[in-house]
Amino acid sequence: MTATAPPAPTTEFPADVRPRKAGVVADVLSVAGRAVRSIPREPESVIPALIVPIFFFIVNTGSLTDITSQVQDPGFSFKAFQLPVAIIFAVTGISRASTLVTDIQDGYFDRLTLTPIRRPALLLGLMVADFVLVVALAIPVLALGFAVGVRFETGLLGVVAFILLSAAWGIVFTGFPYAIALKTGNPAAVNSSFILFFPFAFLTTAFVPEEFLSGWLATVAVYNPVTYVLDALRSLTMEGWEADTLGKGLLAIGAVGLVSFSLCLAAFRGRIRAGA
């Protein structure tokens, strides 16, 4: 009996199957999808970001509410005043920069730069994942505010604006840890990038209204962009739709974003040239 030779392998594809170049959106979503899937595998980078703002919110409102009620108008709500501070603490410094450092160290980032993927998608995809994360962190802090009696003068639309404005601040601040990650490739340097936020956080109206600040602290607060972001968030909870206040908050976010993203893009170009 003669053995029949197996058919020769074919490399022909069906007529309706053709390779297609992915678009910018597909590239961004591909990077973002991988980054989002990695978030549950790194709870140590997410849980503290939620515990710290909740802790400060509970401690500050519990210890200072009675004091502020003695010096403020009867309608003043210190809980509503502090909620934006808790949100800012929750969304600031949270990024996938640690993931980027890991990719740089194991060579995965260099391999990505050899693929047809568009270079900006490597950063934009991570920032999309950051947006998902900061919104997810803002929601439980906001829920805590509702649970203790905070109400929005701007209604449901104001709640949405509150979350988006907070997320916008969180995203523009990510430019700093990404710049550090791309420049150094050092996880310790990235983890310490949150220190950059401390001057933003404490040299401002985080704990008392602007009229109670004095001396050099009052001067610094005027030039601190977080002052205007907090004012914008507080206007949504305590005042109503104030276009001037919201505009200043957006302008402050844009100014910080201009600096952070410029540093990030410069470091990104340097990293690409180094790997070329």
Side-chain angles (χ1 to χ4, degrees):
M1 183 174 181
T2 304
T4 303
T10 178
T11 57
E12 294 183 0
F13 294 97
D16 59 341
V17 176
R18 294 288 184 272
R20 293 180 301 172
K21 188 175 182 179
V24 177
V25 174
D27 289 345
V28 170
L29 292 180
S30 177
V31 175
R34 174 177 177 267
V36 170
R37 289 192 296 271
S38 71
I39 292 174
R41 296 195 292 268
E42 301 175 2
E44 69 280 357
S45 65
V46 177
I47 294 176
L50 186 58
I51 293 176
V52 170
I54 290 177
F55 172 80
F56 274 107
F57 179 75
I58 293 173
V59 170
N60 289 337
T61 56
S63 60
L64 299 176
T65 296
D66 290 341
I67 296 175
T68 56
S69 65
Q70 297 175 17
V71 296
Q72 287 286 351
D73 296 332
F76 179 82
S77 171
F78 188 69
K79 293 175 181 177
F81 183 83
Q82 278 295 298
L83 182 61
V85 179
I87 290 288
I88 290 296
F89 268 95
V91 303
T92 303
I94 302 301
S95 71
R96 296 287 83 201
S98 57
T99 301
L100 179 59
V101 166
T102 301
D103 290 344
I104 291 172
Q105 290 184 330
D106 64 16
Y108 183 74
F109 181 82
D110 290 334
R111 292 195 294 273
L112 281 177
T113 61
L114 299 176
T115 67
I117 192 171
R118 291 165 175 80
R119 300 296 182 266
L122 298 176
L123 278 178
L124 290 176
L126 294 175
M127 290 181 180
V128 170
D130 293 336
F131 179 82
V132 173
L133 180 56
V134 297
V135 169
L137 289 171
I139 290 175
V141 178
L142 192 60
L144 175 62
F146 284 132
V148 298
V150 176
R151 296 295 178 264
F152 276 68
E153 294 294 331
T154 49
L156 180 59
L157 187 59
V159 174
V160 175
F162 187 91
I163 293 174
L164 293 178
L165 194 63
S166 303
W169 166 259
I171 293 301
V172 300
F173 196 86
T174 62
F176 295 118
Y178 280 127
I180 294 172
L182 290 163
K183 186 67 176 178
T184 67
N186 188 318
V190 172
N191 292 335
S192 65
S193 64
F194 185 75
I195 296 175
L196 296 172
F197 177 60
F198 277 86
F200 285 108
F202 293 102
L203 301 179
T204 185
T205 58
F207 303 108
V208 295
E210 187 175 355
E211 58 267 25
F212 290 100
L213 299 178
S214 61
W216 64 269
L217 183 56
T219 302
V220 172
V222 171
Y223 296 97
N224 190 336
V226 175
T227 296
Y228 302 98
V229 178
L230 290 174
D231 286 346
L233 294 173
R234 285 165 177 157
S235 70
L236 293 171
T237 60
M238 305 172 68
E239 304 296 337
W241 296 103
E242 296 185 346
D244 182 59
T245 304
L246 291 172
K248 290 179 180 179
L250 289 172
L251 184 62
I253 290 173
V256 173
L258 180 63
V259 175
S260 66
F261 289 159
S262 296
L263 294 173
C264 181
L265 290 175
F268 183 69
R269 295 191 189 99
R271 175 64 61 175
I272 294 295
R273 287 196 296 267

